[in-house]
Amino acid sequence: MKLFKITKYLLIAVVLVSLAACNDILENVEPATSVSGEVVLSTEGGVNALRASIYSQLRASFDYTTEYFIGPSAFADETRARPGATRFQGLNTAIGTSGTAHLTSFGSTYGIVNDANLIINAIQEGVLPQATLDQYRGEALAIRAYAMHHLVRAYGYEPGMIPSGAIDPNWDLGIIIRNTPTIDVADADERARSTVSQVYDQILSDLGEAKTLLSGITTPNTRVTEPFVDGLTARVNLYAGNWGPAAAAAQDAITNSGLGLVSTADGVAGMFFEDQGGHPEAIFKLDVNPDTEPIGGSNVNSGLAAYTSSQWVSQIPTNLVIDLYEEDDFRLGSFVTDVDGNVITDAESGLREYEGGWYQPCQNDQQSPIAPVGGCDQVNDEGLSTNKWNGGNGNLSDDIPIMRVAEMYLIRAEALAKDAGSVTQPAQDALQELKDARNAGTIPAGALTSLESFETEVLNERVRELVVEGHRFWDLKRTGRDIRNPDGSIKMFYDSYRILGSFGAGLLNVNPRLCENPGYAEFPVENCGPQ
Amino acid sequence: MFGTSLAIAQSGSLTGQVTDSESGETVPGANILITELERGAVTDVDGNYEIANVPAGTYNLTASFVGYRTYRESVSIQAGQETVVNIELRVGAVGLDEVVVSGYAPTTKRELAGSISSVSSKDIQDVPLQNTESLLQGRAAGVRVTTTSGNPGGAFRVNIRGTGSINAASEPLYIVDGVQISFSNQSGQTSTSPLNAINPSDIESIEVLKDASSAAIYGSQASAGVVIITTKRGQEGRTRITARAERGVRSLDPRVDYINGSQYLDYLGEASAINAGFSPANQETFQDAFNTQRDAYENFFINSVFGADPNSPEGSPQLAETNWQDIIYTDGVSSKYNISASGGDDQTAFYVSGGYEDTEGTAFDTDFTALRVRSNLDHKISDQVSGSLNLNLSRTTQFGVCQDGNFINCPVSQAMFEPIFSFPYLADGSYNPNTRFGLGNNPVAVRDEVDRNVAVFQIVSNANLTYRPTNWLSFSGLVGIDYRNTQDERFDSPIVRPAQGGFLNFANRNLNNITMNLTANGRKTFDNVHNVSGFIGTEYRRRYSENQFVTGEGFPGTFFKVLSASSTPTTAAGTNTEWRLGSYFGNAKYNYDEKYYLSVTARYDGHSRFGANTRWGFFPSIQGAWLMSEEDFFNVDFISELKLRAGYGTTGNSSIGDFSARGLYSTVGSYLGATALTPTQLANVNLSWEEAVEVNVGVDFEALDGRLSGSIDVYQKDNNELLLARPLPGDSGFGAITENIGSVRNEGIEFEINSVNLNTSDFLWSTRFNIAFTSNEILELPDGEDIDPNSTTQSLRIGEAIGAIQVPKWAGVNPADGRPMWYDIDGNITYNPEQSVDAVDYNNGIENTVGGFGNTLSYKGITLDAFLQFSFGQWALASSDYYFTRTPDFRMNLEEQVLERWKQPGDITWVPRAVESGNDFTETANFRTQLGTNSFNNASYIRLKNVSLSYSLPGAVTDRLGIGNIRVFATGINLLTWTAWPWYDPEIAFSPTDIFTNVSAASYPTERQVNAGIEIQF
């Protein structure tokens, strides 16, 4: 009897314990909106989602949209803050030790690079048909090159462009090359910066491989295609001083894209409106669904249009920009006049009516009773804002043209002349072709007198054509020019240490092998660890 | 099974009468309990009780009743005999034999060696509060309870013994009758709490397991303490019915003082004249300029900004003078009805109750209703098998408002943002579109055109089966369900959202939280002096939650508020998540002759949240006590009981993301219709719990014949292995990885005392008091590096407290020109202090001294209870008030302090001169945004938390009416507050998980409520 009792308790105890023998129960818990790496890299759906991520990150990142396009204008002389508005005011003034790090982001760039690296190196064999895999890898290589180029121009001098007055006349460090994916925490090792030429070699090699992989793929322009690889190759070679390859690649981009220049007044005026022109010159544009795909978390706060043409209406084109246009330039537009030549004023809004071009009188839409949009006339005499980024499709964000065919004509013009060492006819023709399309007259005779004056004219044409499209500061830097304020005063000499960005304490503390650029006193170059 | 009939033959019965030791009167309603068998009875009207069919043996018998010390005696039951035990109860405070619920088995206070605070039903019976957390405020030593939102049914921050975690939650684990309650997946529309499901009237007691040696039995979930809520149960005896009804008013006091319209124009006129270059030193020219500018502003406001008051006299437009606080805050009405019945026979006992409450808040139309029913059944199937079923169903609804933060559509921020010059309605009665943020945010439009309805249905239920094969051993199984369905509905009418044509946002949230456990429980005495007891058990818990969200836009009007009426559905989303926990646990207790106590506890937990290498954790504890007063050598006459105790234990904190240890790809938007997945988190197979190691030493004492009792506890608690982000090289594509690094220490002293000061035949005066002191220090951080070391309010620095404030020192106003001044780090005056250089350490957000003080006076059926609660040591920034109501940058209200401003050279004051905006001062930091030591205020307060006055009709009257008892009462909460805090409410906590508690932003203030009611017992 007693034994039986003990056995019974023992049995109950065993049942009790075994019921919870449950490591298995704990293992089989899976998240609903996340998945593990193996699932992504070993299934077609997973790889497609990873591919989407590269584009989605470019679109969602403030650093690769609003800051990418408007930052270089605000940091140089193309735009200034409307009185009372503060967005990018810091870039306008840029006092103290601020450098070009403002214009890019280490974190965003390497986030995109890591996605690309996963597609390039980590997709399991057999998941995709070879042709599809080639295409995805080509896209990833091109975007890796695009992101790395954006970063290297912020942190390093262009090849051969170290200024004579630099603190260290031999300073040639570029950025860290990451061409393998981070899958495990062990992959997140500490790396040193490569030299500028090593970085450019890597970028051009990526682009070469991408061109092979994407050969013959020319549409749609909402994805990376061969013409975009051509265009990026042209741009990178232009920065690298490889004039011949730059000109050739620009021509390839024009040819392979099959895109022409828009050449009517209405066409030019509407080309940035997604609901009108829909970006007819875009070699590559990011598709944006304004309702569901925010920039920097919120189109209303951080979108391109929010910074330039609505909401904050913060960065306004300067007189330097407006004054560069000929009177009838399609890109400028004009005030509407009556038969007597007087400007017509709209009775209801009290605004002077404006027609055409990429500009409009500063919107007077009162965001609240006490904060009307005003003060644009303190930035440019006509009180114009630019509506290149207009959010016409709603919710302050349209598709974003990353690269337009017009830039290719400008690259060709500059590179052909520099390659020849003189202002050749083909160089003139490339520039004139663009001017003709824009009804912008002929190249002034003075611009043809020397290579330098021609370069100046090309840079001016780049302002007219590419204002707030992410070029101005970089154009001045890559040509070794000082950065000026709109009134011509010096903002930053080219040989100032501030022309290169600062990595800052956060990155340097984590990675002792990362060298700060010279001149940023808190982290002297001597503190760099083993390279 | 077998032996049942044998057991009856071998059993006897126990009867007796309970009387008051002093008066000799019988005590009806006293609880009699045979501890080992967990069987009991309640005395009848004549104080008699009977417990039948008690197996022969020796047992511990206890008798307890409100206001009396618990009686305790050992009794022997002989087979086939009736044993008579008459009991005399002595008036007094809580005794050591009070039963407390401390884990998987009840125990007596005598046996406890850890630190547990108790709140019993008698402490809270007349407190008209909506939920359970608030009952702990000031009543449990060392438990810091802060209102995060004063709206009825709103949430609280409950912090036991300091902030011990940085990134994991530091909320305690709540357990209701053995069911572990989940706090996740709550409403997104208003502040609420899952404990709203429990009717405070059903609560028998709340125990707070504060130290690790007590809480270790809950292992990985216990490092922030455990709150155990036990509801009332039926007892053998006559059925007793209690009905209760009360009604009252809820109001907000005090208000914030803002300047009036004329003062506002004076201010702007003065500012504008100074900005135009006129010196106040030259009175005449200045006065002219002032008049001109003042008029200009007035005209500008009337013509271009706010428009004229619609009630202006014909032909002479004037600015409005609207007191928005009066519009936004209006008194609410509260009513509450409860009925309960309890009773039972020797086989079945029951407690059933039902209650309905409707309480209106003050801001807009906030409202809380609760319909709750409970049924607690105990049934003895045989002598060996018994079962119980607790079922609590509740449906609570809230009409919410948006909460903390500088949001332009939240009532509390609107009360500061909407200036005196704007007005709610145009002359034709339509909403004024020219309010500060337009029609869509006109406060009356938000009040009337925006609905935030939250309906929560909850089941908190458990079933329990106990098998007791012998009188020293039992097996018990429990299945507990915590189910919550929350339906959030937000409707913005087309009037306030014309661009979208109105919208309706509907969220359906489900939470399934299941606890199952099995325990074996034993208790045996050898040689009369060796008392051994203990239990082992296993438990499984799973929490699964899911949500669906739908939004529709384009409504034809305000009459249809259903999704079918929307023209465009815009959002359809949904997600789910879960975690699982498996555990083994055990406890062994030994005491020698009830003098020396030793207890060892351990729990072994496996959690799905953690890394594959570190999935299982072990949490041991040990505690011991010495009942010194039982020793022969102890002969201090006035001390009747003295107990020294010490405990040491380890607990864990598993409150992190459900998948924090995994390497994950997550959705990051989409491109061209394809969902995007990107790696967002690297795997950490070693990720594990945060661990708290705590030492607690305490003394319990009882003196002067039980008239004075209390306890002192001293603790040191180190929270180690804190989950913190270790930065990774950014070029890896990842910013950081979460690892177990970091350590925080909390130390403190807690003191509780209860006394019966006066006790004559019809007058009783008793006092209760508790106070707790605490300090906090960060010991270790990743790589030894401080996190955000220069942050004003959120720095995490080794050697400093979480919530430390650092800010430049304020130097007052320059008497020459009225500019604000600060000190730089060298003590020189500066107009542009730099946070990273010039900030000095200045107080912190910790309530380092908290407690409560209560007095009860009764005289012939009249009882007055007054309870004060206090908090000292916390400093905080009232960010919204500071940023928005001290300068007129945004044309919002201005606080009355601007009347003290500098007006002319030579003025010595602390308020700078009038400005049109905060950056008007030349070459001076923006006064609106530059913080200084003047920006932080002391949030210490003493609050008259609860006063209740009740009168029970004399027995002679109720007897004639055939009614057990009639009691009428009046009661109030938050009646008075003494504080130096100049705004609404010194209770500063941004959310239930705020760890810094040094910033508030337009938080919904704590409200006052006064109720009166009647309670009838049959």
Side-chain angles (χ1 to χ4, degrees):
Chain A
M1 183 73 175
K2 184 140 195 181
L3 184 69
F4 181 57
K5 257 190 173 174
I6 290 169
T7 314
K8 188 171 73 174
Y9 300 156
L10 211 63
L11 260 173
I12 291 171
V14 167
V15 168
L16 197 144
V17 169
S18 62
L19 265 176
C22 51
N23 216 2
D24 282 355
I25 304 177
L26 305 181
E27 301 269 342
N28 302 327
V29 179
E30 290 298 332
T33 52
S34 308
V35 289
S36 69
E38 299 87 74
V39 175
V40 173
L41 298 169
S42 64
T43 60
E44 190 176 349
V47 175
N48 282 327
L50 187 59
R51 177 195 187 211
S53 168
I54 298 183
Y55 293 98
S56 178
Q57 285 203 64
L58 273 186
R59 181 266 308 156
S61 159
F62 182 77
D63 311 302
Y64 276 88
T65 52
T66 304
E67 187 166 84
Y68 182 94
F69 290 109
I70 301 166
S73 299
F75 200 53
D77 49 12
E78 284 186 341
T79 67
R80 282 295 176 269
R82 183 174 62 83
T86 56
R87 302 277 161 142
F88 281 156
Q89 197 177 21
L91 289 179
N92 294 157
T93 50
I95 48 173
T97 55
S98 313
T100 52
H102 283 99
L103 303 181
T104 184
S105 157
F106 198 84
S108 302
T109 300
Y110 284 107
I112 293 164
V113 166
N114 194 44
D115 275 5
N117 284 337
L118 285 162
I119 290 205
I120 296 164
N121 295 320
I123 295 173
Q124 286 189 12
E125 220 163 295
V127 173
L128 295 177
Q130 192 59 42
T132 312
L133 180 63
D134 286 350
Q135 183 186 351
Y136 288 10
R137 290 187 68 232
E139 292 175 11
L141 284 161
I143 288 184
R144 180 167 85 185
Y146 174 72
M148 298 278 274
H149 179 243
H150 185 43
L151 203 62
V152 74
R153 65 183 177 178
Y155 288 105
Y157 294 112
E158 277 65 39
M161 289 300 294
I162 303 171
S164 54
I167 294 174
D168 180 347
N170 297 313
W171 190 257
D172 66 347
L173 289 189
I175 53 166
I176 294 168
I177 293 177
R178 279 270 171 195
N179 46 17
T180 53
T182 304
I183 293 172
D184 194 72
V185 66
D187 300 329
D189 55 347
E190 291 163 4
R191 295 191 185 185
R193 296 168 69 178
S194 299
T195 63
V196 164
S197 54
Q198 286 168 335
V199 175
Y200 271 84
D201 285 351
Q202 173 74 40
I203 292 170
L204 289 169
S205 143
D206 282 353
L207 289 171
E209 196 179 343
K211 184 164 169 70
T212 311
L213 292 168
L214 292 170
S215 175
I217 298 177
T218 57
T219 56
N221 67 350
T222 50
R223 296 214 182 262
V224 168
T225 55
E226 187 186 3
F228 174 66
V229 174
D230 293 333
L232 190 57
T233 306
R235 191 191 282 175
V236 171
N237 277 315
L238 185 75
Y239 276 69
N242 306 326
W243 313 121
Q251 185 56 55
D252 286 348
I254 295 167
T255 310
N256 290 335
S257 70
L259 296 172
L261 292 166
V262 176
S263 56
T264 64
D266 285 350
V268 170
M271 64 189 269
F272 282 93
F273 283 80
E274 190 182 330
D275 47 352
Q276 294 176 27
H279 308 298
E281 291 188 357
I283 295 174
F284 174 36
K285 68 174 185 179
L286 282 173
D287 180 88
V288 178
N289 176 344
D291 291 328
T292 58
E293 297 181 337
I295 289 164
S298 159
N299 292 330
V300 175
N301 279 323
S302 304
L304 291 150
Y307 271 57
T308 52
S309 62
S310 53
Q311 186 66 357
W312 316 114
V313 201
S314 181
Q315 288 293 320
I316 303 302
T318 60
N319 276 329
L320 177 125
V321 175
I322 303 297
D323 293 350
L324 274 178
Y325 292 104
E326 299 280 323
E327 197 181 341
D328 295 326
D329 196 316
F330 290 158
R331 296 170 293 198
L332 178 64
S334 61
F335 285 101
V336 181
T337 53
D338 62 15
V339 285
D340 302 325
N342 300 315
V343 175
I344 295 173
T345 300
D346 181 80
E348 199 173 316
S349 65
L351 286 176
R352 294 174 299 164
E353 286 186 28
Y354 200 86
E355 194 173 69
W358 297 336
Y359 302 89
Q360 65 190 16
C362 235
Q363 289 184 343
N364 210 7
D365 62 336
Q366 299 204 344
Q367 276 132 68
S368 80
I370 60 162
V373 176
C376 291
D377 55 357
Q378 293 185 42
V379 182
N380 65 64
D381 295 342
E382 304 290 355
L384 300 175
S385 62
T386 175
N387 58 13
K388 256 190 179 175
W389 309 105
N390 54 68
N393 206 24
N395 217 355
L396 305 195
S397 188
D398 281 356
D399 291 352
I400 301 168
I402 299 278
M403 181 179 279
R404 288 194 295 121
V405 71
E407 184 193 346
M408 295 302 118
Y409 287 85
L410 290 161
I411 290 175
R412 262 180 67 75
E414 182 179 343
L416 285 172
K418 288 180 176 177
D419 191 36
S422 64
V423 189
T424 58
Q425 193 58 46
Q428 291 178 44
D429 290 349
L431 183 58
Q432 190 59 51
E433 195 171 337
L434 176 65
K435 278 180 173 288
D436 287 348
R438 304 305 192 223
N439 198 34
T442 53
I443 304 171
L448 305 175
T449 55
S450 70
L451 199 55
E452 196 191 340
S453 62
F454 188 70
E455 181 188 83
T456 304
E457 178 57 23
V458 171
L459 289 184
N460 284 342
E461 197 62 43
R462 288 179 73 95
V463 171
R464 294 180 197 106
E465 180 65 30
L466 300 173
V467 59
V468 297
E469 287 189 73
H471 294 278
R472 180 62 174 167
F473 173 82
W474 308 117
D475 283 344
L476 295 171
K477 173 171 176 273
R478 70 179 170 80
T479 52
R481 295 180 179 227
D482 300 328
I483 311 302
R484 290 171 189 272
N485 290 309
D487 64 4
S489 62
I490 294 289
K491 177 173 169 174
M492 190 190 293
F493 286 106
Y494 179 61
D495 59 7
S496 163
Y497 69 96
R498 296 197 289 130
I499 214 86
L500 300 187
S502 159
F503 292 99
L507 292 169
L508 294 164
N509 280 337
V510 176
N511 180 3
R513 297 187 66 194
L514 181 64
C515 275
E516 181 59 289
N517 278 324
Y520 292 97
E522 206 185 332
F523 286 89
V525 168
E526 306 82 70
N527 285 5
C528 292
Q531 293 301 299
Chain B
M1 294 199 178
F2 57 93
T4 308
S5 57
L6 207 63
I8 289 171
Q10 287 176 342
S11 63
S13 66
L14 179 67
T15 64
Q17 188 180 46
V18 179
T19 54
D20 181 303
S21 64
E22 287 178 33
S23 67
E25 285 179 18
T26 58
V27 180
N31 288 314
I32 314 296
L33 181 73
I34 297 172
T35 313
E36 289 84 349
L37 303 181
E38 289 169 24
R39 280 190 54 197
V42 178
T43 53
D44 62 16
V45 179
D46 302 318
N48 294 319
Y49 71 92
E50 181 181 2
I51 304 173
N53 294 330
V54 183
T58 304
Y59 301 103
N60 289 310
L61 180 71
T62 64
S64 59
F65 190 63
V66 173
Y68 292 90
R69 290 191 56 201
T70 301
Y71 176 91
R72 188 165 172 276
E73 187 184 337
S74 177
V75 295
S76 284
I77 308 290
Q78 309 294 326
Q81 289 187 22
E82 180 182 281
T83 306
V84 179
V85 178
N86 291 322
I87 297 166
E88 290 188 348
L89 288 179
R90 284 190 302 157
V91 169
V94 176
L96 290 180
D97 293 307
E98 192 113 319
V99 172
V100 291
V101 183
S102 69
Y104 293 88
T107 180
T108 62
K109 196 148 190 185
R110 179 183 299 269
E111 289 182 302
L112 284 179
S115 180
I116 296 183
S117 282
S118 302
V119 176
S120 75
S121 56
K122 70 183 178 204
D123 295 332
I124 53 179
Q125 65 174 351
D126 283 335
V127 184
L129 289 166
Q130 284 72 42
N131 75 13
T132 311
E133 294 113 306
S134 54
L135 299 173
L136 293 170
Q137 197 169 31
R139 292 183 174 87
V143 181
R144 286 161 181 75
V145 180
T146 314
T147 313
T148 66
S149 168
N151 74 328
F156 292 82
R157 175 183 188 267
V158 177
N159 176 279
I160 298 170
R161 293 192 163 179
T163 299
S165 181
I166 292 166
N167 288 322
S170 49
E171 286 179 298
L173 169 67
Y174 292 87
I175 299 173
V176 178
D177 293 331
V179 182
Q180 299 170 15
I181 304 295
S182 170
F183 269 57
S184 65
N185 208 19
Q186 297 191 49
S187 166
Q189 286 302 335
T190 194
S191 176
T192 182
S193 165
L195 295 181
N196 289 346
I198 309 299
N199 189 338
S201 302
D202 288 342
I203 293 175
E204 177 63 33
S205 69
I206 306 173
E207 263 85 31
V208 184
L209 314 189
K210 295 188 291 191
D211 76 319
S213 73
S214 309
I217 192 66
Y218 291 105
S220 65
Q221 303 185 78
S223 75
V226 180
V227 178
I228 298 180
I229 297 159
T230 308
T231 59
K232 293 173 178 166
R233 311 201 71 77
Q235 297 280 9
E236 188 175 327
R238 180 177 82 76
T239 298
R240 300 152 66 85
I241 294 171
T242 305
R244 182 182 166 106
E246 58 188 296
R247 266 180 89 77
V249 175
R250 199 161 163 116
S251 55
L252 179 67
D253 187 79
R255 300 288 169 82
V256 178
D257 296 320
Y258 298 117
I259 62 172
N260 65 32
S262 169
Q263 290 167 330
Y264 207 121
L265 292 171
D266 288 349
Y267 182 99
L268 284 171
E270 200 175 302
S272 183
I274 294 173
N275 283 350
F278 295 91
S279 166
N282 186 339
Q283 290 228 354
E284 220 160 280
T285 54
F286 187 79
Q287 192 61 37
D288 289 346
F290 166 80
N291 290 337
T292 313
Q293 299 300 330
R294 190 187 189 281
D295 291 349
Y297 260 108
E298 186 166 10
N299 291 330
F300 172 60
F301 283 170
I302 294 176
N303 297 325
S304 308
V305 182
F306 299 108
D309 184 354
N311 299 316
S312 298
E314 190 71 36
S316 85
Q318 290 170 357
L319 283 167
E321 290 254 356
T322 309
N323 186 336
W324 286 100
Q325 290 187 90
D326 285 350
I327 292 171
I328 289 167
Y329 302 112
T330 53
D331 289 357
V333 174
S334 164
S335 40
K336 191 172 175 181
Y337 309 94
N338 273 318
I339 186 159
S340 67
S342 72
D345 56 24
D346 61 348
Q347 283 196 316
T348 304
F350 67 93
Y351 171 88
V352 292
S353 79
Y356 176 74
E357 164 172 10
D358 184 354
T359 297
E360 295 169 357
T362 63
F364 289 171
D365 299 324
T366 48
D367 185 39
F368 171 80
T369 74
L371 181 64
R372 301 150 167 150
V373 293
R374 168 172 288 279
S375 164
N376 287 357
L377 294 178
D378 298 285
H379 181 69
K380 198 178 336 155
I381 298 160
S382 74
D383 275 349
Q384 292 180 318
V385 182
S386 60
S388 69
L389 176 70
N390 297 342
L391 185 61
N392 188 79
L393 304 178
S394 69
R395 184 175 189 274
T396 56
T397 65
Q398 281 175 279
F399 187 89
V401 292
C402 74
Q403 303 279 335
D404 294 29
N406 303 321
F407 300 114
I408 57 175
N409 55 343
C410 294
V412 182
S413 27
Q414 286 188 328
M416 33 182 127
F417 292 171
E418 203 58 58
I420 192 152
F421 301 125
S422 69
F423 46 89
Y425 300 104
L426 297 176
D428 63 5
S430 61
Y431 298 117
N432 176 12
N434 290 319
T435 52
R436 179 63 191 79
F437 293 101
L439 195 156
N441 295 297
N442 177 335
V444 290
V446 174
R447 182 189 66 195
D448 297 338
E449 302 295 334
V450 177
D451 293 349
R452 291 168 185 259
N453 286 308
V454 179
V456 182
F457 177 75
Q458 267 175 281
I459 301 172
V460 177
S461 179
N462 72 63
N464 185 344
L465 200 63
T466 300
Y467 167 54
R468 188 185 298 277
T470 75
N471 64 5
W472 63 269
L473 180 66
S474 65
F475 298 96
S476 194
L478 176 137
V479 178
I481 296 167
D482 165 30
Y483 168 81
R484 174 156 33 89
N485 173 262
T486 304
Q487 301 197 338
D488 279 347
E489 199 179 63
R490 160 114 182 241
F491 176 75
D492 283 33
S493 86
I495 295 171
V496 288
R497 294 285 174 271
Q500 292 150 279
F503 70 81
L504 178 69
N505 181 313
F506 181 79
N508 185 55
R509 303 164 191 271
N510 275 319
L511 175 96
N512 291 285
N513 173 37
I514 291 167
T515 310
M516 289 190 277
N517 62 51
L518 294 167
T519 53
N521 214 315
R523 176 184 284 264
K524 207 161 173 77
T525 301
F526 302 95
D527 299 340
N528 283 324
V529 290
H530 302 286
N531 302 303
V532 180
S533 65
F535 60 85
I536 55 164
T538 178
E539 187 166 82
Y540 170 67
R541 184 175 169 196
R542 174 176 186 252
R543 196 213 64 203
Y544 175 83
S545 59
E546 59 178 7
N547 304 305
Q548 298 90 35
F549 309 95
V550 193
T551 307
E553 293 181 358
F555 283 80
T558 59
F559 35 89
F560 288 130
K561 298 179 182 177
V562 292
L563 282 163
S564 298
S566 85
S567 61
T568 322
T570 53
T571 316
T575 184
N576 63 67
T577 187
E578 74 170 304
W579 58 259
R580 299 173 189 176
L581 172 69
S583 314
Y584 304 96
F585 52 85
N587 164 256
K589 279 195 275 197
Y590 169 77
N591 77 66
Y592 176 75
D593 203 14
E594 307 207 327
K595 263 192 275 189
Y596 310 103
Y597 294 84
L598 184 70
S599 167
V600 181
T601 303
R603 186 167 178 125
Y604 188 54
D605 271 351
H607 206 305
S608 64
R609 280 176 172 162
F610 293 100
N613 293 355
T614 49
R615 185 150 284 161
W616 290 82
F618 184 64
F619 304 95
S621 81
I622 183 164
Q623 54 177 233
W626 175 27
L627 200 51
M628 203 161 133
S629 50
E630 295 288 301
E631 297 286 357
D632 296 336
F633 64 77
F634 189 88
N635 52 5
V636 184
D637 283 347
F638 66 94
I639 295 181
S640 47
E641 275 172 337
L642 181 66
K643 184 167 80 169
L644 308 181
R645 51 189 166 76
Y648 174 85
T650 303
T651 52
N653 183 353
S654 57
S655 302
I656 58 163
D658 289 345
F659 304 101
S660 294
R662 311 284 186 91
L664 294 180
Y665 282 56
S666 304
T667 53
V668 283
S670 61
Y671 189 71
L672 290 173
T675 300
L677 278 172
T678 193
T680 47
Q681 182 176 298
L682 287 171
N684 180 357
V685 290
N686 296 316
L687 192 72
S688 189
W689 356 75
E690 297 187 350
E691 189 177 87
V693 178
E694 186 173 5
V695 182
N696 188 88
V697 178
V699 178
D700 294 335
F701 61 91
E702 198 174 285
L704 304 172
D705 275 347
R707 287 225 176 156
L708 187 67
S709 67
S711 65
I712 302 168
D713 278 281
V714 181
Y715 66 89
Q716 184 184 71
K717 180 178 184 179
D718 284 355
N719 292 70
N720 304 319
E721 314 286 323
L722 297 191
L723 295 165
L724 286 166
R726 178 170 69 83
L728 294 174
D731 47 301
S732 66
F734 296 87
I737 184 166
T738 303
E739 290 184 354
N740 291 91
I741 20 179
S743 177
V744 171
R745 169 171 292 171
N746 286 285
E747 294 172 317
I749 300 175
E750 291 156 3
F751 185 71
E752 274 186 86
I753 191 159
N754 297 291
S755 65
V756 179
N757 308 326
L758 208 58
N759 182 15
T760 68
S761 56
D762 33 53
F763 187 74
L764 180 74
W765 171 28
S766 65
T767 298
R768 56 201 190 275
F769 175 77
N770 76 77
I771 189 164
F773 308 92
T774 189
S775 71
N776 174 280
E777 184 189 348
I778 297 172
L779 300 180
E780 190 190 332
L781 291 171
D783 301 335
E785 295 272 348
D786 292 345
I787 298 171
D788 289 338
N790 293 323
S791 167
T792 307
T793 56
Q794 304 202 339
S795 68
L796 296 169
R797 290 173 292 153
I798 295 166
E800 302 291 334
I802 297 173
I805 297 161
Q806 42 183 358
V807 71
K809 210 169 155 199
W810 169 244
V813 168
N814 187 337
D817 58 10
R819 272 196 288 164
M821 308 186 291
W822 295 266
Y823 289 109
D824 68 14
I825 195 67
D826 300 320
N828 302 317
I829 296 284
T830 176
Y831 294 97
N832 285 293
E834 213 178 312
Q835 173 70 16
S836 61
V837 178
D838 298 322
V840 295
D841 285 312
Y842 185 70
N843 300 309
N844 60 47
I846 298 174
E847 300 173 78
N848 56 34
T849 306
V850 298
F853 177 55
N855 277 289
T856 309
L857 297 154
S858 6
Y859 176 73
K860 287 190 173 173
I862 301 176
T863 302
L864 174 69
D865 186 273
F867 177 70
L868 292 154
Q869 171 245 335
F870 55 85
S871 160
F872 293 100
Q874 184 181 29
W875 287 70
L877 166 72
S879 62
S880 334
D881 305 85
Y882 196 88
Y883 291 131
F884 299 108
T885 67
R886 299 182 327 145
T887 65
D889 288 60
F890 303 106
R891 309 281 183 256
M892 294 170 178
N893 281 314
L894 284 180
E895 278 184 55
E896 269 196 350
Q897 56 168 258
V898 303
L899 298 177
E900 313 276 319
R901 68 184 175 270
W902 181 95
K903 290 195 164 143
Q904 55 189 337
D907 281 358
I908 308 286
T909 175
W910 56 283
V911 183
R913 72 157 171 92
V915 292
E916 289 175 282
S917 78
N919 50 13
D920 280 359
F921 304 103
T922 46
E923 295 166 357
T924 304
N926 188 332
F927 179 58
R928 191 178 73 79
T929 53
Q930 174 60 55
L931 300 179
T933 48
N934 58 326
S935 322
F936 286 80
N937 286 72
N938 191 330
S940 299
Y941 67 93
I942 301 175
R943 187 164 266 173
L944 183 56
K945 195 74 195 169
N946 182 223
V947 174
S948 60
L949 178 67
S950 67
Y951 174 63
S952 293
L953 263 59
V957 178
T958 50
D959 283 353
R960 208 179 313 153
L961 294 170
I963 290 171
N965 187 21
I966 297 183
R967 209 162 63 87
V968 290
F969 59 90
T971 176
I973 52 169
N974 304 322
L975 294 176
L976 280 171
T977 305
W978 292 270
T979 181
W981 185 255
W983 299 285
Y984 294 119
D985 187 4
E987 290 192 39
I988 309 295
F990 210 77
S991 72
T993 52
D994 184 4
I995 61 168
F996 300 105
T997 60
N998 52 18
V999 176
S1000 75
S1003 184
Y1004 191 126
T1006 301
E1007 296 172 332
R1008 169 197 288 171
Q1009 189 171 330
V1010 178
N1011 280 20
I1014 183 166
E1015 184 178 281
I1016 303 172
Q1017 279 184 6
F1018 303 95

